[in-house]
Every structure is written in structure tokens, then in C-alpha cells.
Amino acid sequence: MNSFLMHWTYAIPEIWVLTMACVVLLADLFWGDGLRDLAAVLTVLTLSGAAVLTVFEMGQSGTAFAGLFVLDRFTNVAELFSYLAVLMVVLYSRRYLVDRGIYRGEVFVLLLFALLGIMVMVSGGSLLSVYLGLELLALSQYALVAFYRDSVMATEAGLKYFVLGALASGLLLYGMSLLYGLTGTLDVRDIAADLVNMTAGNLVLVFAIVFIAAGIAFKLGAAPFHMWLPDVYQGAPTVVTAFLASAPKIGAFALIIRLLVDGGYGMQESWQQIFVALTVVSLVVGNVIAIAQQNIKRMLAYSTIGHVGFMLLGIVAGTEAGLASAFFYTVVYTLMSLAGFGMILLVSRAGFEAERIDDFKGLAQRKPWYAFLMMIVMFSMAGVPPTVGFYAKLAVFQAVVAAGYVWLAVVGVLLAVIGAFYYLRVVKVMYFDKPAPDAGLIVRDDLASMALSINSLALLVLGILPGPLMAFCFYAMRGVI
């Protein structure tokens, strides 16, 4: 009986989020018309409650439900950062959704179900639970991207994402099925134990690794599996884009940890070479093509591909320090992307999407504080000290050099310098160009402005004092290998 109860207590945060997602859905159905902010308030309450429950679980570890569920340091820390990302999206979203007539409870319900999918992926101890979490997240994302039905671009982006995402899910599932056929088990740790005695030249194992790596690369947005990313980021409502660029990246990182580290560390030499290729291609494609973009959402989409390349440097290292630095980079990128898209949301207004880089011309004259915050974000993305983006890049470079991939670190440094150009171009436009004659007023939004100020200044504060966040990420990855 005690063992049975222990299984359920391990999964209390997931049960809480699932229950509250259903409560938000029903509450919005019955009272949503009279209380417009009800769904958003309940969502914030849900995230706060989940954070409290997760903090209470810190320090515990174990498995539940016959190995389907794993509770460890990584589970707790990754879930906490996921709550934070979704909370920031909710805080940024209100005015944008109201202006476009889509401030409805369904948005927040889908965000909660997407969060639940991330939580299931993070805590997955079996191929089955990891895949179920992945599909719950993916289906919620498809609906969110196409939610703005009055927008042709959003509908098109949703369809593209659905078709390509279904293909990627099929690749991943096929790789999982090959692993199951080889080992006869779905438990990732049992799979790892079986693979230790298997030769690296096993043809079925090679195919399984390739298919799994391809599926993970798509979910991350790594080149050459990146074709969906710019179109979806541009076509989706900016609130949804802010979500896509943040919390799901933590879920994709969890895919790597659960499938390739927990489940496939015995075949590290095989998948390591695949990720070396993905890293180089992502760094080149993301940082070079971003230079040509005039649409800031597409520019940030290609920069995402570049950032994924930097994050994969830590994965390629294959050490505990490398994985911790990769996780640190993922968390930092999540904070940077939330701030970047949050600024686009603040500058946008009813009937106007601040999507072009030219829309930020003269922002320093129109809103000096916003320009200063955006400058911090761009400097952090470029890796300019003393922002936290610099320390994130430094951490993965140190890890990959320690693992013997000095040439890969050199490639990363060169492409980081190239990438700095398009970030500094945004700063130049804000501070040295005059506002366009038809530039409208920036609508005041106190809640989103406060959230953006905290988010952006955190990039500077964490750059001056990176130790606590870095230590927290290293704590999460301790004992993973």
C-alpha cells in the first residue's frame, strides 16, 4: 500500500497540472464570458502550485509505475524552468490576444496540456512514456500555431508544422521500435544495459540511432531538419512563437537525456558523430542565413538554429560537465528568446505586427527603456560580456575543448563572431536610425512591461553573477552519467 501511494506522490505535479487544465477548460466554458481573465488567473495559479509541489519533491529520487516514471534531480529542475517559461508567456500574452480577438480560455488550456507533455517527457523512464509526452506536446503546439483562424499565415504555418511534425514523430517512433526489437524492453535503463554488450557495427542499431537522432534534431530545430522553423515562427501568433522558442526546447533537451544518455550511453560513440555533424551544419546554416533576414521573427528563428548548434557542443562533449553546460545553455536560451519575443509583443499593437527589423527604427527615441532592454537581449544572444549569453557560450566551449574537440570549438567561435552581426544590426537600427514617419504609438502595457524588464535585466544580472544558475544546472545533471 505504501509503495502504491509512493508512486502517486512522485507524480503529484503532473496530476496537479492535468487536473487544473481540465478545471480551466470547464471554468472558461461556464464563466469565461463574464470573467475574461479567469483562464489566465487559473493558469498562473496552476503554475505556482506546480512549482510549490515540485520544490517539495526536491531531493527525492526513484521510479514509479513499473519504470514508466523517473523522479530525479533533472526532472525537478527541468520542470521548474518549464513552469517559468510558460508563466512568462502568460504574462506577455494578454494585450496581444485581446487586440486580435483571441483572448480565450482555449489558449491557456493548450498551454497547460503542452506543459504536461513536457513534464511527461522530462520524467519519462520508458520509450512509451517519453513518446506519449512528446505527442501531447506536439498536438498542443499544432493547435496553438493554427489557433488564430483569421490569419492565413497562421493556418498555413499550422498545416506545415503538422505535416512535418508527424513525419518527424514517425522517424522517432521507428527508431524506438528498432531499439525495442533489439533489446526486448521499453525501459530506457534496461536498454542501456543491453546495448553495452552490443557491437557498434550492428546494422539495426545504427539505423535505430539515425532515426532517433533525426527525430530529436527535428524537435530541436537543428539543421538540416530545420525547414519548418522559420515559417512556423513567422506565421504563428507571436505569443505562440514565444512559447515554441522556450519551454519545448527544455522538453527536446530532455529527449536527448532520456533516450541517448539514460537509454543509449553505451552507444555514445555512434550518436556522438551524428551530433558533431548536426552541430556544424546548425552553426553554419543558422548564423549565415540569419544575416539575410529582414523579418525579425525569421531572424530569431534562424538564430535559434544557431543556438541549438551551440547547445549541441555540450552534448557532443558527452561528459557530465558537457551535459550540464548544454543544459545551462538551454535554460539561458529560453530566457533570451522569451525576452526577445516579449519585446516584439510589446511593440506590436492592434492591426500591426512588429515583425520587420525596420519596425524597431528609432526605438531609443520613442521608448528608451524598451531599447535598452532589447539591447541587453541582443548582446546576450550575441554572447557579449557581461551578459549571461557570454557565459553560456563559454561553458559549452570549455566542455567541448576538454573533450578533445578543439576544432569544433574554433568553428563555434568563428560563427559566433559572424552571428554577432545580425544582433548588432538590431541595436544599430534602434539607436542610430530615425523612426519611420508612419511609426505609431507603442501601447502601454504595465504587466507585460514589468515582466519584460525583469526578464531582460535577469540576463544582465545572471551575467554578472552566473554562479548560482550554473551551479543549479550542474546539480540537475549530477549523476546522470
Side-chain angles (χ1 to χ4, degrees):
M1 183 66 180
N2 289 336
S3 176
F4 176 79
L5 290 176
M6 184 64 72
H7 286 198
W8 290 102
T9 56
Y10 280 175
I12 278 181
E14 286 79 4
I15 295 169
W16 165 258
V17 172
L18 173 61
T19 304
M20 288 302 296
C22 297
V23 169
V24 173
L25 180 63
L26 292 173
D28 182 70
L29 175 65
F30 289 105
W31 301 295
D33 292 337
L35 300 170
R36 294 186 69 190
D37 293 322
L38 179 62
V41 171
L42 287 175
T43 301
V44 173
L45 176 65
T46 302
L47 297 170
S48 303
V52 170
L53 292 171
T54 302
V55 168
F56 278 127
E57 283 190 339
M58 296 287 281
Q60 298 184 47
S61 62
T63 61
F65 308 113
L68 289 170
F69 186 95
V70 174
L71 178 65
D72 54 18
R73 291 189 179 103
F74 175 69
T75 302
N76 290 326
V77 176
E79 286 181 353
L80 286 173
F81 285 125
S82 300
Y83 305 150
L84 176 63
V86 177
L87 175 63
M88 296 306 297
V89 171
V90 173
L91 296 178
Y92 287 143
S93 66
R94 189 185 188 282
R95 182 176 60 80
Y96 182 91
L97 296 175
V98 169
D99 287 345
R100 284 147 190 80
I102 52 173
Y103 187 59
R104 297 198 291 270
E106 295 95 313
V107 174
F108 302 101
V109 173
L110 288 169
L111 283 174
L112 288 177
F113 276 115
L115 173 63
L116 180 61
I118 294 170
M119 295 170 73
V120 173
M121 286 167 62
V122 166
S123 59
S126 162
L127 298 181
L128 181 62
S129 53
V130 169
Y131 189 75
L132 286 175
L134 174 67
E135 285 305 291
L136 179 56
L137 170 63
L139 292 172
S140 301
Q141 287 178 305
Y142 304 150
L144 282 167
V145 170
F147 188 79
Y148 189 13
R149 287 173 292 181
D150 292 339
S151 169
V152 176
M153 289 186 66
T155 305
E156 179 186 346
L159 184 60
K160 284 182 180 177
Y161 193 21
F162 173 70
V163 173
L164 294 175
L167 177 63
S169 294
L171 292 175
L172 186 64
L173 186 59
Y174 188 59
M176 288 179 174
S177 67
L178 290 176
L179 270 186
Y180 174 68
L182 276 172
T183 60
T185 179
L186 293 171
D187 188 284
V188 292
R189 297 186 186 276
D190 290 342
I191 289 172
D194 289 344
L195 291 179
V196 170
N197 302 317
M198 209 165 287
T199 59
N202 186 305
L203 192 60
V204 178
L205 178 59
V206 170
F207 271 102
I209 294 169
V210 169
F211 279 114
I212 289 175
I216 291 174
F218 179 91
K219 299 304 177 183
L220 277 170
F225 303 93
H226 67 284
M227 296 303 181
W228 63 275
L229 201 69
D231 291 340
V232 171
Y233 273 35
Q234 181 183 2
T238 307
V239 167
V240 177
T241 307
F243 173 72
L244 295 177
S246 54
K249 294 295 183 282
I250 298 173
F253 181 81
L255 266 183
I256 296 176
I257 297 300
R258 297 307 183 200
L259 296 182
L260 296 182
V261 177
D262 285 356
Y265 198 70
M267 55 183 180
Q268 181 189 2
E269 290 184 4
S270 300
W271 59 255
Q272 207 169 24
Q273 299 310 310
I274 296 174
F275 277 88
V276 167
L278 290 174
T279 299
V280 174
V281 176
S282 298
L283 287 170
V284 173
V285 169
N287 288 296
V288 172
I289 299 182
I291 294 172
Q293 304 305 312
Q294 297 301 317
N295 183 294
I296 194 167
K297 288 171 74 174
R298 289 186 75 87
M299 186 201 84
L300 290 175
Y302 280 105
S303 86
T304 295
I305 300 166
H307 284 297
V308 167
F310 287 115
M311 184 272 286
L312 289 178
L313 288 172
I315 302 296
V316 166
T319 60
E320 187 174 297
L323 295 174
S325 66
F327 186 44
F328 177 61
Y329 198 99
T330 303
V331 172
V332 169
Y333 169 71
T334 297
L335 296 174
M336 294 189 299
S337 61
L338 283 167
F341 287 106
M343 180 57 71
I344 297 173
L345 287 167
L346 274 182
V347 178
S348 300
R349 59 183 182 275
F352 172 73
E353 298 281 348
E355 291 189 343
R356 296 185 61 79
I357 294 175
D358 287 348
D359 294 331
F360 288 80
K361 280 185 175 180
L363 185 62
Q365 300 172 36
R366 298 159 60 201
K367 282 281 187 178
W369 180 242
Y370 285 5
F372 173 69
L373 296 177
M374 188 63 163
M375 181 179 69
I376 292 175
V377 176
M378 292 295 105
F379 280 180
S380 187
M381 286 188 171
V384 177
T387 60
V388 71
F390 168 76
Y391 289 99
K393 284 185 170 63
L394 180 63
V396 292
F397 287 150
Q398 287 177 331
V400 81
V401 167
Y405 290 92
V406 178
W407 68 271
L408 200 52
V410 172
V411 171
V413 170
L414 291 175
L415 286 159
V417 173
I418 293 172
F421 170 79
Y422 56 85
Y423 295 122
L424 296 179
R425 180 177 60 178
V426 177
V427 177
K428 175 260 180 187
V429 163
M430 292 190 301
Y431 278 92
F432 298 103
D433 288 5
K434 294 181 179 179
D438 58 344
L441 291 174
I442 296 175
V443 180
R444 182 173 175 175
D445 185 345
D446 292 337
L447 178 62
S449 180
M450 181 178 67
L452 179 66
S453 298
I454 295 172
N455 192 348
S456 301
L457 291 175
L459 301 176
L460 185 59
V461 173
L462 290 171
I464 297 170
L465 299 169
L469 179 59
M470 198 174 291
F472 199 39
C473 293
F474 272 73
Y475 163 83
M477 304 310 298
R478 197 177 302 147
V480 167
I481 296 177

